[in-house]
Amino acid sequence: MSTQEVTLNELDPQAFIERKIAAIVEAVGDGKAINALSGGVDSSVVTMLGHRALGDQLLTVFIDNGIMRQDEPQQVVSRFDALGVPVELVDARDVFFEALSGVTDPEKKREAITQAFYKTVFGKLVRESGARHLLHGTILTDVDETVAGIKRQHNILTQLGIDTEEVYGYSVIEPLAELRKPAVRVVAKALGLPEEVYDRMPFPGPALAARVIGEATPERIQTVRQATAIVERELAQTDAFQYLAILHEDRVTGMRDGRRDFGQQIEVRCWESEDARTGWPTRLPFDLLERLADRITGEVPGVVSVTYSITKKPPSTIEAV
């Protein structure tokens, strides 16, 4: 499928939906396809397009990789069950944490997640299902950042010259590769997805592993998961483009009960942006920042320091890893 951009001004969502459904039907024929739902707007749109195009020929799975937000796997499966789309929940937590064990370099972590996802987990599912096609939620910004060498997005394969048929045993279909995030949201709404999906805040493909600097162990993921829940509750009314918590690698000196507490540091980021290509920090009220710090240090075990990033993108990026 073409990766020439369809801009928001050019987009006719109903015509786009019809065109992509027809393209999926043509590509898959009477075969089977498999689709990984993460709950984000991109994968949700692809799931609905695939379901409409293929019906029972499509196997949709949610891979519980152990690095999602609090209760996210169960919430996503329940939401799509209510929409009439069956989703199989696959427990692959051990596979992903084994792949991430001892890995600290950001690009190597992304590569470990890519291999665990596409080769180990999906390889098995493809063999068991007989599917020869993977529906994929790649959008144009993913392609741009990877090809430019800014940040390797875990879902970019064919654009890097990877022959997915040879390496993984299936072809990849990317219905959204012509769109950027604002256009994807319009298509999501046109498909009848609920507001909690089409207006959902961006969330990275490597999930919370993208928000842990250093090794992403189960314990460190749990720390950033708890901090993330607090940040998302406290900043939900800001109307910011994206907000997140990051766990730093180095421990810092703190104090509790008059004694030194050598603990962990959480960085909070809150962004204003149109399409994630550029961004600038939200000017949050200081009392809100104080409340965030008090809640995170009080409710997340081991955290003694909370900071707020005030750097624009560029030179920073929205995610840390």
Side-chain angles (χ1 to χ4, degrees), residues 8-202:
L8 193 57
N9 290 334
E10 296 168 340
L11 179 67
D12 178 336
Q14 290 299 338
F16 180 87
I17 290 168
E18 292 171 9
R19 178 163 62 91
K20 292 303 176 180
I21 288 175
I24 293 169
V25 169
E26 181 180 0
V28 176
D30 59 0
K32 293 182 180 180
I34 193 167
N35 169 55
L37 173 64
S38 70
V41 63
D42 305 334
S43 74
S44 295
V45 168
V46 168
T47 296
M48 294 305 293
L49 290 172
H51 180 68
R52 290 191 184 183
L54 302 173
D56 292 342
Q57 293 173 251
L58 177 68
L59 171 63
T60 295
V61 297
F62 186 103
I63 306 298
D64 184 357
N65 51 24
I67 53 178
M68 303 301 290
R69 288 173 289 192
Q70 193 71 44
D71 301 323
E72 197 158 21
Q74 295 77 15
Q75 290 171 358
V76 172
V77 171
S78 296
R79 180 184 301 131
F80 276 82
D81 181 63
L83 291 169
V85 181
V87 181
E88 179 182 339
L89 182 60
V90 177
D91 186 351
R93 289 173 291 181
D94 290 346
V95 174
F96 279 85
F97 281 120
E98 183 179 347
L100 289 166
S101 178
V103 182
T104 59
D105 177 80
E107 291 305 310
K108 289 181 179 178
K109 283 203 304 190
R110 288 173 174 268
E111 181 63 21
I113 292 170
T114 297
Q115 292 302 320
F117 188 88
Y118 291 104
K119 197 165 188 177
T120 306
V121 178
F122 253 83
K124 181 180 178 182
L125 289 171
V126 168
R127 288 191 299 273
E128 292 175 347
S129 69
R132 295 302 305 275
H133 307 274
L134 169 65
L135 293 182
H136 215 289
T138 309
I139 67 171
L140 190 54
T141 305
D142 297 333
V143 178
D144 286 349
E145 289 196 341
T146 299
V147 173
I150 297 169
K151 186 181 293 185
R152 165 72 188 273
Q153 299 295 342
H154 81 291
N155 57 352
I156 298 301
L157 302 167
T158 57
Q159 294 88 350
L160 294 177
I162 297 171
D163 185 334
T164 58
E165 286 272 13
E166 180 180 339
V167 177
Y168 301 120
Y170 48 75
S171 66
V172 175
I173 301 171
E174 299 176 317
L176 306 183
E178 301 162 271
L179 305 182
R180 298 194 189 277
K181 189 71 73 178
V184 177
R185 296 190 190 282
V186 171
V187 174
K189 188 174 183 179
L191 282 165
L193 285 162
E195 184 176 0
E196 64 193 37
V197 175
Y198 71 72
D199 201 29
R200 174 178 141 141
M201 181 175 58

Side-chain angles (χ1 to χ4, degrees), residues 142-298:
D142 297 333
V143 178
D144 286 349
E145 289 196 341
T146 299
V147 173
I150 297 169
K151 186 181 293 185
R152 165 72 188 273
Q153 299 295 342
H154 81 291
N155 57 352
I156 298 301
L157 302 167
T158 57
Q159 294 88 350
L160 294 177
I162 297 171
D163 185 334
T164 58
E165 286 272 13
E166 180 180 339
V167 177
Y168 301 120
Y170 48 75
S171 66
V172 175
I173 301 171
E174 299 176 317
L176 306 183
E178 301 162 271
L179 305 182
R180 298 194 189 277
K181 189 71 73 178
V184 177
R185 296 190 190 282
V186 171
V187 174
K189 188 174 183 179
L191 282 165
L193 285 162
E195 184 176 0
E196 64 193 37
V197 175
Y198 71 72
D199 201 29
R200 174 178 141 141
M201 181 175 58
F203 190 65
L208 295 176
R211 296 175 179 176
V212 170
I213 299 174
E215 186 180 5
T217 64
E219 296 76 19
R220 303 192 76 221
I221 289 290
Q222 179 59 14
T223 296
V224 81
R225 180 182 287 123
Q226 291 178 272
T228 295
I230 294 169
V231 168
E232 292 190 353
R233 283 196 295 269
E234 291 290 345
L235 300 185
Q237 304 305 314
T238 64
D239 293 325
F241 176 80
Q242 192 170 350
Y243 32 86
L244 55 141
I246 297 160
L247 175 62
H248 281 251
E249 186 170 19
D250 292 336
R251 287 183 173 267
V252 296
T253 301
M255 289 182 60
R256 291 188 196 275
D257 302 322
R259 301 179 62 184
R260 186 174 84 160
D261 185 355
F262 201 49
Q264 300 183 94
Q265 178 177 330
I266 291 288
E267 175 190 335
V268 175
R269 295 184 181 186
C270 186
W271 292 98
E272 305 299 321
S273 181
E274 294 296 329
D275 56 13
R277 287 184 288 179
T278 60
W280 53 98
T282 304
R283 293 177 178 266
L284 296 176
F286 197 79
D287 60 347
L288 177 54
L289 292 171
E290 283 186 314
R291 188 162 69 246
L292 276 170
D294 288 344
R295 286 201 61 190
I296 293 171
T297 55

